[in-house]
Amino acid sequence: MNLQSAASFVRRVFASERFFLVMVGLFLVSSVWVAIASLYPMAFDEEFHFGLIKIYAAHWLPYGIENTRDMAQYGAAASDPSYLFHYLMSFPYRLLDWMGLSQTAIIVWLRLLNVAMVVGSLFIYKKALLTAKASKAITHGVIAAFTLIPIVPMMAGQMNYDNLLLIMVALSFWFIIQITNRVRATGFLPVGNTLTLVGVILISLPVKYAYVPIALVLCLWLLALVVVSVKQHGKIGVLKHARRGFNKITLNGKIWLVILALAGIFFSARYVENYVRYETPIPSCHVIFDEDACMDFGPWARDFLYKKHLDPQFSPKSFPAYFSQDWVPGMIYRLTFTLAGKTNDFQTKQPLPLVWPLGCVFLLVGLLAFIRYFRVLIKKYPYTFLTLLVTLTYIGMLSIKLYLGYRQTGVPAAINGRYILPLVPFIMATLVHAILYGARRLNATNITIIVLTLALAIIFLQGGGVFTYIVLGESHWFYTGWGQASHAFIKAVLSPITWQHRWFG
């Protein structure tokens, strides 16, 4: 088989529906195993999320809940604007608790619901990428690579609002891309999809306030589309089209849009309530409780102690230095490492030796190709610009927020790779398009496809997905009985074929 034949075979395999379903199936099995085998609480604030779920389970509505002192361990507690995940999860919790299940059984069932959220998001990401004119081969390859990021099955297998955020970001992109496609084709915004997107944005805001910069870009993008439509058809033409479009929506569709709008306004009103009560839409713990009470909230206590013991002579790095030396390496590292939960003092294990460097090489080559062919990519793949705007805004606001915290504490804390996961599939697709376009310019498309495929295969076999968690995890990270027994068995199978040599340390 020559190089061209091999590359064509790879394309066919990646483009097949069977490949996509197999990768999703492997991810599903991996995440389910994490959910049922891992000791509670897991590392990504699972105890925090479960505590808030139980608080909301005692109330039918998310408003009017009194913030008692014992809630200070959950930060702003019932005033946290990132609450919708906890409120929604409180309903299955109520049912499971009513059925008399043990806490461990309830935790496992709630974890499985989180697995379902992430698996569901993979199908929506696929829809969004295909709607953005990415090929099936690239779309399936990107989603496969996403599932092989070591922390993704770990996050999917525990209670965490980032799992619901994946769905909401994927939905947001899917709808904005559909709307953009329609404007490019006809000059008019599709009324149903536009109203649905507004509802999705409103509902996403109370899932996690980190969605705010994404919402900002999407709203500006929508506004730009309206301007384009008005320039082409005039204000009267646009209004007439909007009225005709709304009249064409079925009665059930209109009812759905009203419910979506009311739900979005109702849940996102937490930001308004907070501003009225506390003069800030996102209050910190000390705004709600006194400092002594907030010492029970881990992140607040950490920052408080860092500030208290900060060397008066401390001279912070510049933002570019912080971003390049701490933020970027920290983010990549915390996408590929593994760690235990609170019970085991968040015991951390370094990434396996091939996953981290291969990820870095892909990122570096992709960025270089993107910069080199930026203008062509913007014209050839119009959604490249949308991805760029959202990514720069999101990463910019997140990194600046953490940098300001570093200036106050002297410690580059809270640099967590999972924060950028909702955008990773779109970032990956953009970089793959850039690499393949550059390869075509250099007449190296076939070899590039083979190299990318081999890199993906190496990651799969040498720590991708749940492999890192299994190979580096220790027995006490898992539930006694089946959890520890299954981990010991799988680890014994995988360890001999996984290279674990370290160049450093």
Side-chain angles (χ1 to χ4, degrees), residues 365-381:
V365 173
L367 286 174
L368 290 175
F370 180 78
I371 293 169
R372 172 63 180 83
Y373 301 111
F374 173 74
R375 292 184 179 180
V376 177
L377 292 168
I378 292 297
K379 293 179 181 178
K380 190 174 179 62
Y381 307 106

Side-chain angles (χ1 to χ4, degrees), residues 195-213:
L195 294 176
T196 301
L197 175 60
V198 173
V200 169
I201 291 172
L202 288 172
I203 288 179
S204 301
L205 287 170
V207 173
K208 189 175 181 180
Y209 68 78
Y211 182 84
V212 170

Side-chain angles (χ1 to χ4, degrees), residues 137-450:
I138 289 177
T139 297
H140 294 170
V142 163
I143 292 173
F146 179 74
T147 64
L148 294 180
I149 296 173
I151 70 163
V152 173
M154 281 182 61
M155 189 179 80
Q158 60 184 289
M159 289 173 276
N160 191 292
Y161 54 11
D162 288 314
N163 294 324
L164 180 56
L165 187 65
L166 289 175
I167 290 180
M168 304 314 295
V169 171
L171 279 174
S172 300
F173 267 78
W174 186 25
F175 280 109
I176 195 68
I177 291 169
Q178 290 181 68
I179 295 166
T180 306
N181 281 345
R182 182 69 67 84
V183 172
R184 286 169 58 84
T186 68
F188 290 112
L189 279 75
V191 177
N193 283 349
T194 302
L195 294 176
T196 301
L197 175 60
V198 173
V200 169
I201 291 172
L202 288 172
I203 288 179
S204 301
L205 287 170
V207 173
K208 189 175 181 180
Y209 68 78
Y211 182 84
V212 170
I214 298 175
L216 175 63
V217 174
L218 293 179
C219 290
L220 291 175
W221 189 271
L222 266 181
L223 181 61
L225 292 178
V226 171
V227 171
V228 169
S229 185
V230 169
K231 283 185 176 180
Q232 290 188 31
H233 302 284
K235 292 181 181 179
I236 302 300
V238 170
L239 290 174
K240 287 182 177 180
H241 179 270
R243 185 177 61 186
R244 288 196 299 268
F246 186 77
N247 289 335
K248 289 180 181 179
I249 299 174
T250 64
L251 178 60
N252 288 338
K254 290 176 181 176
I255 293 173
W256 156 249
L257 288 173
V258 170
I259 292 173
L260 185 64
L262 292 176
I265 294 169
F266 177 76
F267 290 122
S268 59
R270 172 65 62 81
Y271 288 93
V272 179
E273 179 195 35
N274 283 342
Y275 188 81
V276 171
R277 294 181 62 183
Y278 308 114
E279 298 183 353
T280 174
I282 308 173
S284 181
C285 178
H286 68 276
V287 175
I288 313 297
F289 305 99
D290 59 53
E291 289 187 355
D292 288 340
C294 287
M295 290 301 291
D296 293 332
F297 180 46
W300 192 93
R302 175 200 64 204
D303 291 346
F304 178 84
L305 292 175
Y306 284 155
K307 292 176 186 177
K308 184 177 180 180
H309 297 101
L310 182 64
D311 186 344
Q313 304 301 317
F314 170 70
S315 178
K317 300 176 184 177
S318 65
F319 176 74
Y322 164 83
F323 187 81
S324 60
Q325 297 173 15
D326 296 308
W327 200 87
V328 172
M331 279 289 178
I332 298 174
Y333 167 76
R334 290 175 181 84
L335 286 170
T336 54
F337 76 153
T338 194
L339 72 166
K342 182 179 179 181
T343 305
N344 293 295
D345 297 320
F346 302 102
Q347 183 182 3
T348 301
K349 296 298 182 74
Q350 302 290 319
L352 285 166
L354 292 179
V355 177
W356 190 88
L358 283 175
C360 290
V361 169
F362 169 76
L363 179 62
L364 180 60
V365 173
L367 286 174
L368 290 175
F370 180 78
I371 293 169
R372 172 63 180 83
Y373 301 111
F374 173 74
R375 292 184 179 180
V376 177
L377 292 168
I378 292 297
K379 293 179 181 178
K380 190 174 179 62
Y381 307 106
Y383 305 102
T384 298
F385 191 53
L386 174 63
T387 301
L388 179 64
L389 282 179
V390 174
T391 302
L392 289 179
T393 304
Y394 181 84
I395 288 180
M397 293 180 71
L398 174 61
S399 59
I400 289 172
K401 178 180 181 294
L402 296 180
Y403 175 69
L404 294 176
Y406 154 73
R407 288 181 63 90
Q408 294 177 343
T409 63
V411 179
I415 301 175
N416 294 309
R418 70 181 186 275
Y419 294 163
I420 64 171
L421 283 178
L423 298 179
V424 164
F426 303 110
I427 295 172
M428 280 185 175
T430 299
L431 297 182
V432 169
H433 277 129
I435 291 171
L436 290 179
Y437 180 81
R440 284 195 292 272
R441 292 290 298 270
L442 299 172
N443 295 318
T445 302
N446 293 332
I447 186 64
T448 301
I449 291 173
I450 298 301

Side-chain angles (χ1 to χ4, degrees), residues 36-56:
I36 62 180
S38 302
L39 189 67
Y40 171 84
M42 291 186 70
F44 300 152
D45 306 320
E46 189 175 33
E47 186 177 37
F48 168 85
H49 294 297
F50 188 50
L52 284 172
I53 289 169
K54 290 192 287 185
I55 288 174
Y56 281 102

